[in-house]
Amino acid sequence: MNESLNDSDTSFSQPWIQNSDVNASLELSAFFSVFTINPWDIMLCISGTIIACENAIVVAIIFYTPTLRTPMFVLIGSLATADLLAGFGLILNFVFQYVIQSETINLVTVGFLVASFTASVSSLLAITVDRYLSLYNALTYSSEKTILWLHLMLVVTWGVSISLGLLPVLGWNCLDDISTCSIVRPLTKSNVTLLSTSFFFIFILMLHLYIKICKIVCRHAHQIALQQHFLTASHYVATKKGVSTLAIILGTFGASWLPFAIYCVVGDQEYPSVYTYATLLPATYNSMINPIIYAYRNQEIQRSMWVLFCGCFQSKVSFRSRSPSDV
């Protein structure tokens, strides 16, 4: 009798164990399905890591090198700081998106990214204005007026950027009305339209200033050649180099940001998210390229990097100091 009861207990316990295994496997599969990572988010996180590393070096070099205190290097430092914060923002956005899912944290992260990238674009405009003034007012460039203009540009750049970044946190978001969401949730359509319009204005202004810079550079090169009573081959080489450099600077900036800015205006939240990722990722590349164009090509920063990483400076390596007017 006991043996039959034991057999019956065993027979009833086997289905329970099988059902438990099935439930456990379903919960495990559901767990992995919930935490599936979007490959686009991985690429944005990698981009942010590279951006942060590149610009952290530039910020450290400018901060710890007393000779790099001219307006040009201060503006480059502002650009590197903005791009550094943008890189951190992309990393934090990835972490919070898959670790801590909260609407409040999402608002703060998006606002942080808006402020960082706005400061980066605005710093590029400030550098362009500084280059134009250094050529147009070459004789009075090093005066106290230039320092005043520098401080004013920095205050406006970061003041406007921080204000735009705070707007989503202060209530300009689509959490209460999903129909007003843009392609970048939780930003509203009107918010991204304002940001895109501001970008178009900055891009047109930079284009206008760089055309003027190009004319000044060509005119200066031509005057130098006339003083030598003949046009040498170096005149054409210098002019061509200046024009090509300006084309690279403006072309890189436009190619990086224009697709995303245009899509922010014409896109809709119902469109596939892959379109947003495909236009946003190249925009982050601009912050990755900025240190190469504005910092690592500079001879003074190259020398400071040599001292920073090697602990010494070999006098055999020649460095030519760049003036603020170099394009």
Side-chain angles (χ1 to χ4, degrees):
M1 183 69 180
N2 293 333
E3 293 178 356
S4 62
L5 288 174
N6 292 335
D7 292 341
S8 63
D9 291 340
T10 305
S11 63
F12 280 106
S13 63
Q14 291 297 332
W16 180 84
I17 295 174
Q18 292 175 359
N19 291 333
S20 176
D21 293 340
V22 171
N23 292 334
S25 62
L26 290 175
E27 292 177 358
L28 187 63
S29 62
F31 174 82
F32 284 111
S33 64
V34 170
F35 284 93
T36 301
I37 299 178
N38 189 337
W40 287 99
D41 291 327
I42 296 177
M43 288 188 288
L44 285 175
C45 184
I46 294 174
S47 178
T49 304
I50 297 174
I51 291 169
C53 293
E54 282 183 334
N55 289 279
I57 296 174
V58 178
V59 172
I61 289 174
I62 295 178
F63 183 79
Y64 288 105
T65 306
T67 57
L68 303 181
R69 295 292 186 269
T70 62
M72 176 183 64
F73 289 112
V74 172
L75 292 175
I76 291 176
S78 173
L79 174 63
T81 302
D83 289 333
L84 173 62
L85 295 177
F88 279 139
L90 291 172
I91 298 173
L92 292 176
N93 181 66
F94 177 84
V95 173
F96 290 146
Q97 185 174 356
Y98 292 98
V99 178
I100 306 175
Q101 298 182 355
S102 170
E103 294 290 352
T104 303
I105 295 179
N106 188 28
L107 277 174
V108 174
T109 305
V110 171
F112 185 81
L113 286 172
V114 169
S116 302
F117 282 117
T118 303
S120 175
V121 174
S122 301
S123 295
L124 290 175
L125 175 61
I127 291 176
T128 305
V129 173
D130 176 72
R131 288 182 169 182
Y132 172 74
L133 292 177
S134 67
L135 290 170
Y136 185 77
N137 297 321
L139 297 178
T140 60
Y141 176 78
S142 302
S143 63
E144 295 182 358
K145 186 177 180 180
T146 302
I147 304 300
L148 180 62
W149 270 101
L150 171 66
H151 292 161
L152 180 61
M153 286 192 295
L154 290 176
V155 170
V156 172
T157 294
W158 287 96
V160 172
S161 301
I162 294 174
S163 299
L164 291 176
L166 287 175
L167 290 179
V169 182
L170 296 178
W172 199 4
N173 55 67
C174 64
L175 296 182
D176 297 332
D177 187 3
I178 305 300
S179 62
T180 61
C181 284
S182 66
I183 61 170
V184 183
R185 194 175 182 274
L187 299 181
T188 63
K189 295 179 181 178
S190 56
N191 195 335
V192 296
T193 301
L194 172 64
L195 295 174
S196 299
T197 304
S198 301
F199 168 79
F200 293 140
F201 173 76
I202 291 176
F203 180 76
I204 293 174
L205 184 56
M206 287 180 61
L207 177 62
H208 176 70
L209 289 175
Y210 271 125
I211 290 176
K212 285 193 170 184
I213 291 174
C214 184
K215 291 180 179 179
I216 295 174
V217 170
C218 294
R219 185 170 65 249
H220 285 182
H222 184 72
Q223 290 175 351
I224 293 174
L226 290 179
Q227 290 177 358
Q228 298 176 352
H229 303 292
F230 60 91
L231 297 177
T232 61
S234 60
H235 161 71
Y236 298 103
V237 173
T239 303
K240 183 178 179 181
K241 182 180 179 181
V243 174
S244 61
T245 302
L246 295 178
I248 292 174
I249 292 173
L250 200 61
T252 302
F253 177 64
S256 299
W257 277 106
L258 276 177
F260 181 68
I262 295 174
Y263 185 65
C264 283
V265 176
V266 302
D268 190 83
Q269 62 171 330
E270 297 179 356
Y271 292 175
S273 60
V274 64
Y275 297 153
T276 304
Y277 283 112
T279 53
L280 177 60
L281 187 62
T284 64
Y285 292 160
N286 186 66
S287 297
M288 194 183 302
I289 298 173
N290 282 339
I292 301 175
I293 295 178
Y294 295 94
Y296 294 137
R297 292 174 62 248
N298 188 280
Q299 301 291 336
E300 295 295 332
I301 291 182
Q302 290 177 10
R303 178 167 55 188
S304 299
M305 286 180 60
W306 186 274
V307 175
L308 179 64
F309 290 108
C310 299
C312 61
F313 176 73
Q314 294 181 356
S315 58
K316 293 181 180 179
V317 182
S318 60
F319 293 91
R320 182 182 64 86
S321 177
R322 287 178 177 262
S323 65
S325 61
D326 285 348
V327 294

